[in-house]
Every structure is written in structure tokens, then in C-alpha cells.
Amino acid sequence: MTATLLFQSFSAVLIGWLLLHYAHIYHRKYLFYWSYSFFSLAIFLLGSSLGLWLVDNDFGPSSPWRLINLFVITTAGYMQIAFLVIGTISLVKGTSINKFTFIRILMICLFIAFCITVFKNWDASGADLRYLTRIGLRYFTAGLACLGTAIYILRNDPNPIIGKKIVTIGFFVYGFEMTFLGWLTFENYFFNGSDLLLYLIPYHGLFELILYPIIGVGLVVWLLEVERIKSKKTADQLKHLNLSDALTGLPNQPALQQFLQQWSLVAQSNEPMTLVLFGVDKMARFNDGEGFKKGDQLLIALAKRIDMLCRGKPFYGRIYGDVFVLMMNGNEKNEIKKAEKIRQKLSRPFKLSGQTFHLEVSAGVTELSNTSDHEQAFNQANLALMFAKQRGGKQSLAFNSEMKSPQNSNINFENDLRSAFKNNQFELYYQPIWSSKNRIMCFEALIRWQHPSRGLLLPGAFLSMLQQMRMMIQLDYWVVDEAFKQAKAWRKVNTDAAKININLSAETIQDGSITEHIKQCSLRHQLTPQHITVEITENTLMQNIAIGTNTLNELRELGMEIAIDDFGTGYSSLNYLRSFPADVIKFDRTFVSDQSNHHLNHKILQALIPLCHDLNKKVVIEGIENQTQFNQLEELKVDGFQGFYLSHPLAEKEAIKMLTMSKKSMVKAMFNEAPG
Ligand code: C2E
Ligand code: MG
Ligand code: MG
């Protein structure tokens, strides 16, 4: 009997050690609890064999050795049950117990052990009751705990994995056996039951000896399976993360590539697909005006719409920035109509944080077969999208072979631009701004590029490239110098009108060193800065309100006037009109040219012009193209008029001629020769 107990104890230590070893590797709490449970069992079994030895060696029931041993093994016996249950709950629920709960459980076990140790210990007639409380009660509690644990596992997972199955069956069998033994002990005591208990007890040790390794192996298999499932889940999640866009959760570019590869393998040669790329018109402007956070919100809202509208289609996702992709079965001719319908639905106004935004979406469409070069097809759709945007947006455009990528020519164009500075190919044209008394108030200097092969280019053709090349400051520096030189020269001809407005870019304003450059130009050309007015667009100012205001205040201190250009196109509120450090407000040309809202625009001007005057700001209107517009604006008491009706931007020589004309001939030129 003692040998069996020692052997059992040894196997419990082995299992406990195995579990502890895995607990350290995997850092799992439940493994620690289970290993403690087996160590407690080992102590219990070792103590039991020591107890038998003490009895055999005539240590009486009151011997302190027997009492201490009894106290220890009872504590260990109940600790074994407690740890087993806690470990299982921790595994199924993923929770762990804190230090205080642990101490509480230990105290309860110590208390139970104390009660059991002293209960009837000195009562000679209490042997049966002692047996009942010391042995029977533990059988019963341990049995019920094992049965409860097995039921608990099954309830949480009716289809357990193999390791879990082994453990559950092990607990069931062990639990049943222990409960049965416990029940027999109670039956013997209360109802003088059969001698079955006596027959069974010797086999109990053997039974435990077989069952422990089974449960132990089951626990290890369970653990390995849990870890395998977990690492598979993590791998799947990683795969999902790699294939989905972090901002919108839609599939991303690698996912598209994967889709196209798989489709090419299974598709028939006569089964074409249509590739559609959607992009937001003027997204960069939206980001500039509203900030990137709102920009992201917009993309998320757009992704939700795409998700709703494209569900069921073979593939859809976000590729980069504001570009979303949709793959449809069928050829481009039929599918472009569907793409256009989706595009229109995507273009509906967006409500973001209570504000409504009217943004349009464009689409580029191309067709591909299973043998097509996917990258080429993607580039084609991208080109079609670019052309759709360039044509004013709000449209779906199918790719055609005449659409050429600007990429190669871009590199040459960049080189040309760099050498334009060295080769003095930039030139200023001057467009007069007329005062209300039909006199020239000043000129606006507008940059032109005399390209060696393309001829005279307008700013729209090269400013954005210069901006990408971060060369706007260099250009503005050159313009400032040139304007000072020109205004100084013109003063000899006409002192009143020899004033020049220059346009400064956002980069220059942000850089701030322009003030110093202006001071130097003023010294070099012997001309005070009052003769030069700085024009800065409303959007530029809004982007850099703090730095911009600072630079503009410095320029004003030099005596320069500041004009807010393209006023009314940005996102500024009327409130800013008051705080802008501006002397002149140049209303954007859309106030004059937008025929569809003519009445409304007129009303806005009618309200705003007196307001500007009240705030001590002059008003200039640009884009006047005919006499009717001019007459209407004259009635509104505008201070300055600018537009093709009065004069196109002029080359330097023509501008000088204009300056030297007498007032009379100017008026004549204005009404007889100006284009209508
Ligand atoms: P802006 O400062 O608003 O200049 C007015 C633009 O309107 C000029 O275009 C001018 O030619 C055009 N314009 C004038 N009257 C009419 C009209 O009656 N009808 C129409 N449709 N257009 C009219 P441009 O010269 O092509 O310049 C475009 C923009 O490029 C300018 O707009 C300005 O923002 C920028 N820019 C021009 N020169 C410079 C420069 O030297 N430096 C910087 N940083 N920007 C410049
Ligand atoms: Mg301007
Ligand atoms: Mg303007």
C-alpha cells in the first residue's frame, strides 16, 4: 500500500513538473494552477504513506507527528481540488485569480484541515466518524469537483478538441469513482451499508495510478492544441491585416493582386472583367481646407458607401489615398453604365460631424482578360481616372489608347523648368487693374514661361510642377526683384499708375524670409515698398493663419498693401474678413462669370462690398469679360476692375505703352479696342 502511494506520489510530481515546465514556456496561468494541483496531490499521497508508516510504528492518534501530518495532507488534499477547479475555469474563461483570492482559498483549506484534524481526534469511540470526515468527505468533495469540472468544460464547449475530450473523460471517470467511494463511506456510516468499500479501496490506488497519467497527458495535448489554434488564429489575423486597408477595413492593393492572380488561374479566355477606379475630385483641396482628420472621415464614409453599393461584386477595396477599386464581371461597354450609376450614388453629399460637404467622384474604367498584364490594366484605369478629373471631374471615362501617361514627359518638363531659371525664360506679363474713374490703378504681374519648344506657357501649365519641385520660393524671389525693377522704371513714365501687384505662394509666406528679400530689393532698386502690393490667396492664408498673418504684418510694416486674392473660393468665414491683415479684397472671378448663380452672386456682392468698405478695405473684382458685367459692378462702387474686357495681361513693352497713353486715349482704348 505504501509503495503504491509512493509511486502515485512520484507520478503526480512528474505530471506537476511537466505542467510547470509548459507553464513557464507558454506563460499560461491555468497551467500553473494545474501544476500546483498535482504538487498538492503529491504531498497528499506522500503524507498518506507517511501516515500509514506512523500507524504501523505505533504512533498514537494524539501523537503530534500524526496530527501535523494529518493537518498537512488534509490541507494538501483540499488544495488539490481547489487548484484543479480554478485552473479549469481559468482555461475556459481566460481569467486568473489575484493574490487575495489565492490567500482566501488557502485560509479556507487550512481551516477545513484544522477542523478535520481536531474533530473527534481524542474520542476513542469516534473512529467511524473520523474516517467519514477525513477520508469520505474528501472522496466526496474531490469527486464532485471533478464531475463539476467535467460538466463545466462540456457546457462551455459541447464539441471539445481531442485533448479536452481526454481530460473531460478522465475527470468524469475519476469524479465518478471518487463520488462513489465517498457515497459508500457515507452509506457505511449512516446505513451500515455493504463491504463493497473494503473491496474497492485497495484498487483505488491502482486506479488513480492509471488515471493520473491519462489526465496529465490529456492536459498536455489540450495545451498544445490550444496553442496551435491560437497561433493559427494569429497567423490568420496577420494575413487579414496584410490584406486589408487599416483606415477603412476594405481589401487593399495586395488583396487586389491576390484576387487577380487567382482569377487569372480559373477564368476562361472569353470571360472579360471590368476594372473601375473611383477617385474623389479635388481631394487635395478638401484636405487643405478641412484638414487630414476630416479627409480621413470622408474616406471612411466613402468606403462604407462602396461597401454597400458593391456588395456581391467579385472584388472591391481601397488602393491608395482617395482611390477605390471595383472589379465587375463582363465587358467594359456594358459595365461602364453600371460604374457610372455607382459613381453618381457615391457623389451624393457627405455629412461629417454635422456638416454637409458636396464632393464629386470620378471613375476610370478599363477591361481586362485572364491573359492581360494586370499592372498595365491598373495603369490604364488610373490614366482614365486622371483624364476624367482633368476634364472637370463628375464623370466616368473609359480608357483609350490616346490617353498617354505624363510620367516620361514629366521628367523632361522638370529638367526644362530647372534650366528655365538659368536661361532667363521666365517673363512677367502685366494686367492693368482699373480704378473706378477709368484710370489704371496698378498692374498685376503674372508669370509666363517662354518654353523653348512649346512657346509661351501660362502659370496653370507649370506652377503645380514647380510647387512639387519645391521651387516656388525661388520663383517668387525672382518675381519680387523683377517687379521692383519694373515699377522703378515705370515711375519715369507715370508716377500714379507705376504700382505692381505680385502674387506670393503659400510656401513663400510660410518660409517668412521674403520680408528681408523685399528690403534688399527696395534698396537695390531705390524704390520704397509702398509701390508693390502683395496678393495672397484666401486658401494660402487659411492654411497658415498664424505664420501667414505674421509675415503679412511684417510686410505691412514696410508700407506694402496686402490683397486677399480669389476671395470667396475658400473655406474662410466672414469673421476672418475682419481679422485678415488685408487692405484689398479681390473677389474671385466666379462672382462674375458664374451665370447659373448670377442673381445670388450679385446679391452677395451687394452685401459684402459695403461691408469691406466699412472695414476700410478696397474691393477689386477680377474676371470682367463684358460691358454688362462692368456696368453692373460700377454701380456697386467697386474700387478696382480687372478682366479681359478691359485688358488682357500684357507683355512689358505693351504695358509701358498703356502707361504712357493719356487718360483720354486710355478711355478710348478701353471701349473701342478691348475685346468684348
Ligand atoms: P490670379 O492671381 O487670380 O490671377 C488672375 C488670373 O486671371 C490670371 O491668370 C489672369 O490672366 C486671369 N484673368 C484675368 N482677367 C480674366 C478674365 O477676364 N477672364 C478670365 N477667364 N481670366 C482672367 P493667369 O495669368 O493664368 O494666372 C493664374 C494664377 O497663377 C494667378 O491667379 C495666380 O494665382 C498664379 N500666378 C500667376 N503669376 C504668379 C506669380 O508670379 N507667382 C505666383 N506665386 N503665382 C502666380
Ligand atoms: Mg492674383
Ligand atoms: Mg485671382
Side-chain angles (χ1 to χ4, degrees), residues 265-312:
L265 293 177
V266 293
Q268 306 285 322
S269 55
N270 57 353
E271 262 184 275
M273 265 211 150
T274 300
L275 168 67
V276 188
L277 291 184
F278 295 106
V280 182
D281 298 339
K282 300 188 182 131
M283 184 70 198
R285 187 162 165 185
F286 181 83
N287 276 338
D288 287 348
E290 297 295 327
F292 284 101
K293 212 169 150 199
K294 271 260 166 68
D296 282 352
Q297 282 179 10
L298 177 85
L299 293 177
I300 292 168
L302 193 61
K304 276 188 190 152
R305 268 187 208 179
I306 289 186
D307 195 23
M308 232 169 58
L309 294 167
C310 304
R311 222 165 261 176

Side-chain angles (χ1 to χ4, degrees), residues 215-235:
I215 293 176
V217 167
L219 287 174
V220 173
V221 175
W222 183 355
L223 158 80
L224 294 177
E225 281 178 318
V226 166
E227 293 310 318
R228 185 182 56 81
I229 292 167
K230 263 193 190 154
S231 60
K232 191 174 173 296
K233 232 185 196 166
T234 316

Side-chain angles (χ1 to χ4, degrees), residues 565-566 588 622:
D565 203 355
D566 301 346
D588 188 64
E622 48 184 356

Side-chain angles (χ1 to χ4, degrees), residues 367-404:
E367 186 178 302
L368 73 162
S369 71
N370 62 346
T371 50
S372 307
D373 178 347
H374 301 151
E375 204 176 314
Q376 195 186 354
F378 185 79
N379 288 340
Q380 288 176 350
N382 211 10
L383 258 181
L385 174 63
M386 203 180 85
F387 273 77
K389 285 187 178 186
Q390 274 176 5
R391 288 186 191 177
K394 311 182 199 173
Q395 56 188 290
S396 302
L397 209 62
F399 170 78
N400 67 56
S401 52
E402 276 159 30
M403 294 176 177
K404 290 268 175 293

